[in-house]
Amino acid sequence: MNRFEEELKNNNFICSECPKCKHLVWPPSDFCNKCLGDVVWRPVSKKAILVEVSKKDEKQFCIGEFENSIRVFGILEGRTNIIPGQSITLKHCRYENTPIFEFQTD
Amino acid sequence: MKKVAIVSTGITKFDKTEKPLDSLMLSSVKHLFENTINLEQKDVDVVLTSTNANKNYFANIISELSGIKPKISHSVESLCNSGTNALISAYAYISSGLAETALVVGGEKTDNPGLVLNWDLSRGEFKHPIFWATMFTGAHMRKYGTTLEDLAYVSVKNHKNALDNPYAYFEKAFSMDDVMHSKNLTENIRLLDCSMPCDGSAAILLCSEENAMKYTDTPIWITGIGQKTISAGFTKNNSLSSMESTKIAVKDAYSMSDKTAKDVDVIELHDAFSVCEIIELEDMGFCLKGKGAELVRDLYETGDKKVNPRGGLIGTGHPLGATGIAQAVEICNQLRGEAKKRQVAGAQTGLVHNMSAGSTSSTVLVLES
């Protein structure tokens, strides 16, 4: 299990960042995908912007964007009248053979 | 670079069978040999297989079972556009002079592992393709006012076209009502908006200009190629109401062939879901952005078979590794005037569009008679 998965298991969403390029590397990697230099790991902000939203069996899910960079799918709880561009918050994350993200509307 | 022609094709009925993959693929190779005058196994110096089946040494196995001892043989895997990517690899071997004659054979079983997008961390638990499709659909609806009824027209049209395709999985017409009331998979995707995974195989023989007339009187020339990968992860698509990789690939293919959308008589495009056909028509220049749904409705109402005459993926079925090759087989049939009830009158220039994993990569071919 790599560091990203280990931290996610503990409800910590971290990502690799290139100190030289000041660039978040997504998907997380041991090397920067711009300069191929070494990366450092840091927490990702819990605040996100809603990119798109849909429903399956009345359950809402979405794509959220963190720090103008990382976009992930996740469950979206809260208001159902939310539209892209509005802010959402990462409520919980975990790892169960795959990353699982749960957002909450603000 | 040498000119490269498609000189023969083979295909199987798309179905769900007990047949193993190698036997399925040999069936389309057999069909191709039966269709080709003067072709002997010793003439084939490249064999490329296209499948998502995770089979080791598979092109070599298919070569052996086909009685071919090629100079070059390997598999090509790129999920749903494996087939057209294999055609481009074969094109490259011939155009560079490394080979004269290449057999490309694609095949898939219904339960292939390419249907669940496990590698993409961005998708989290939402690994099934319906989840990327619902995001494209929602974004297009929001931006251009596309409706569920607009989407249903794609499915009704393509299932109707498939009725004239003896190799199609579906042999049944569906009404607007059938599509509108088919099972909701998400709030904007219904079962009949989706292409159906199935078993299938298709094969194509490519040849240099010098040898093409040995095998056919009606070679079909590959005159334009465009291929673009923007990422492996779906969420790297900047816009969800268009397909960036498709726009780049088609631009390159038009440029290489010195054609534009106006020159294209017949199109097989990658309608993995209804919304894909609408977006792709727009992004490849067949109508203005936001007018794709109107174009589909017009094609349906006038009975015009210009777009997805064989029924597309929605009507024909989607055996991943065979799909791109089957699309090219249809365009060859159209350009030879051999598409029977599906024939687009006077078709001389055709386009194949094949993409993967929510348009994270796309391939476009321009073919000419």
Side-chain angles (χ1 to χ4, degrees):
Chain A
M1 175 161 289
N2 64 33
R3 178 149 182 211
F4 170 73
E5 293 168 4
E6 267 176 41
E7 293 283 344
L8 214 57
K9 272 196 156 182
N10 295 317
N11 193 20
N12 296 321
F13 180 24
I14 64 163
C15 190
S16 46
E17 185 178 46
C18 176
K20 190 175 147 201
C21 301
K22 306 289 179 204
H23 161 67
L24 274 171
V25 180
W26 181 261
S29 165
D30 291 331
F31 302 99
C32 173
N33 58 3
K34 283 192 174 172
C35 71
L36 299 178
D38 292 336
V39 296
V40 295
W41 292 85
R42 71 152 172 94
V44 175
S45 164
K46 290 197 181 304
K47 299 306 269 180
I49 298 294
L50 183 74
V51 175
E52 193 51 72
V53 61
S54 184
K55 275 187 212 152
K56 178 172 170 52
D57 303 328
E58 295 309 309
K59 286 183 185 163
Q60 212 167 215
F61 58 95
C62 70
I63 297 175
E65 181 181 284
F66 299 92
E67 303 189 29
N68 291 315
S69 171
I70 301 168
R71 290 178 171 192
V72 298
F73 276 77
I75 295 159
L76 179 60
E77 291 177 352
R79 292 188 291 119
T80 55
N81 59 347
I82 187 164
I83 57 169
Q86 294 184 332
S87 61
I88 54 178
T89 302
L90 182 66
K91 189 176 146 197
H92 187 77
C93 57
R94 60 188 192 278
Y95 190 86
E96 291 173 9
N97 297 316
T98 190
I100 294 179
F101 299 95
E102 292 174 18
F103 293 98
Q104 173 76 47
T105 59
D106 287 348
Chain B
M1 290 209 310
K2 291 184 180 186
K3 278 181 78 178
V4 178
I6 294 174
V7 293
S8 185
T9 65
I11 195 161
T12 63
K13 165 98 176 142
F14 288 9
D15 214 337
K16 290 187 179 176
T17 69
E18 296 300 312
K19 226 176 186 181
L21 182 62
D22 54 358
S23 177
L24 198 62
M25 289 170 74
L26 284 170
S27 300
S28 65
V29 171
K30 180 177 188 287
H31 189 216
L32 181 146
F33 269 84
E34 288 166 354
N35 286 340
T36 318
I37 50 165
N38 302 323
L39 178 65
E40 296 177 65
Q41 281 102 326
K42 66 176 173 55
D43 298 334
V44 179
D45 44 19
V46 177
V47 173
L48 302 183
T49 49
S50 158
T51 180
N52 288 261
N54 294 340
K55 298 261 190 189
N56 292 338
Y57 217 41
F58 197 51
N60 305 61
I61 293 167
I62 293 295
S63 298
E64 183 180 26
L65 293 171
S66 306
I68 299 169
K69 295 180 179 177
K71 289 180 190 168
I72 299 163
S73 75
H74 58 82
S75 267
V76 175
E77 185 281 306
S78 178
L79 280 183
C80 304
N81 62 359
S82 303
T84 47
N85 287 9
L87 289 172
I88 291 172
S89 297
Y91 175 98
Y93 284 129
I94 295 168
S95 67
S96 67
L98 272 176
E100 286 294 326
T101 307
L103 173 67
V104 179
V105 53
E108 213 72 78
K109 295 289 293 175
T110 308
D111 59 355
N112 76 85
L115 295 168
V116 182
L117 310 171
N118 280 320
W119 75 90
D120 187 354
L121 295 177
S122 307
R123 299 184 201 232
E125 63 197 290
F126 300 93
K127 305 270 189 219
H128 192 280
I130 60 166
F131 295 112
W132 62 253
T134 193
M135 294 302 175
F136 272 127
T137 304
H140 203 272
M141 286 175 146
R142 198 183 308 283
K143 188 161 185 182
Y144 298 110
T146 308
T147 65
L148 292 174
E149 190 179 45
D150 290 331
L151 299 168
Y153 271 103
V154 176
S155 177
V156 171
K157 172 181 77 68
N158 291 347
H159 280 109
K160 181 168 178 268
N161 286 353
L163 290 177
D164 291 329
N165 177 2
Y167 300 103
Y169 177 82
F170 284 101
E171 298 172 344
K172 184 179 175 220
F174 292 94
S175 66
M176 285 295 288
D177 204 46
D178 291 334
V179 179
M180 295 294 285
H181 293 101
S182 62
K183 185 182 175 186
N184 283 326
L185 303 181
T186 69
E187 67 175 1
N188 52 29
I189 305 266
R190 297 146 302 190
L191 184 64
L192 288 172
D193 285 313
C194 309
S195 55
M196 175 72 78
C198 62
D199 297 5
S201 177
I204 279 181
L205 190 72
L206 298 94
C207 188
S208 64
E209 183 177 21
E210 290 83 350
N211 291 323
M213 300 308 274
K214 177 181 170 188
Y215 303 116
T216 182
D217 296 330
T218 52
I220 302 301
W221 303 101
I222 299 176
T223 59
I225 293 174
Q227 206 171 11
K228 183 66 183 176
T229 295
I230 57 163
S231 66
F234 172 69
T235 58
K236 294 275 176 78
N237 275 298
N238 284 324
S239 165
L240 293 173
S241 55
S242 68
M243 295 180 174
E244 186 184 346
S245 67
T246 291
K247 289 201 276 191
I248 295 167
V250 81
K251 187 176 173 214
D252 288 348
Y254 286 153
S255 170
M256 180 174 165
S257 61
D258 200 21
K259 299 283 180 193
T260 69
K262 287 195 175 94
D263 300 311
V264 176
D265 303 309
V266 59
I267 307 147
E268 273 290 329
L269 56 74
H270 196 101
D271 57 328
F273 297 90
S274 296
V275 72
C276 299
E277 178 160 320
I278 292 171
I279 293 175
E280 291 155 6
L281 285 169
E282 296 169 358
D283 286 349
M284 293 196 288
F286 294 105
C287 59
L288 294 173
K289 204 65 200 162
K291 299 291 182 188
E294 206 175 300
L295 173 55
V296 169
R297 196 178 289 224
D298 186 54
L299 291 166
Y300 171 72
E301 286 172 352
T302 59
D304 187 338
K305 291 181 188 289
K306 175 176 178 170
V307 178
N308 284 334
R310 77 185 175 117
L313 281 62
I314 287 177
T316 311
H318 184 23
L320 276 62
T323 285
I325 300 170
Q327 291 176 306
V329 169
E330 174 67 9
I331 295 300
C332 288
N333 287 333
Q334 291 283 345
L335 301 182
R336 289 189 180 120
E338 294 173 356
K340 298 180 180 166
K341 287 184 186 171
R342 310 184 306 282
Q343 185 64 48
V344 174
Q348 293 184 319
T349 301
L351 182 142
V352 175
H353 166 265
N354 189 200
M355 63 89 168
S356 274
S359 193
T360 50
S361 70
S362 294
T363 308
V364 174
L365 304 174
V366 175
L367 306 182
E368 293 180 63
S369 56

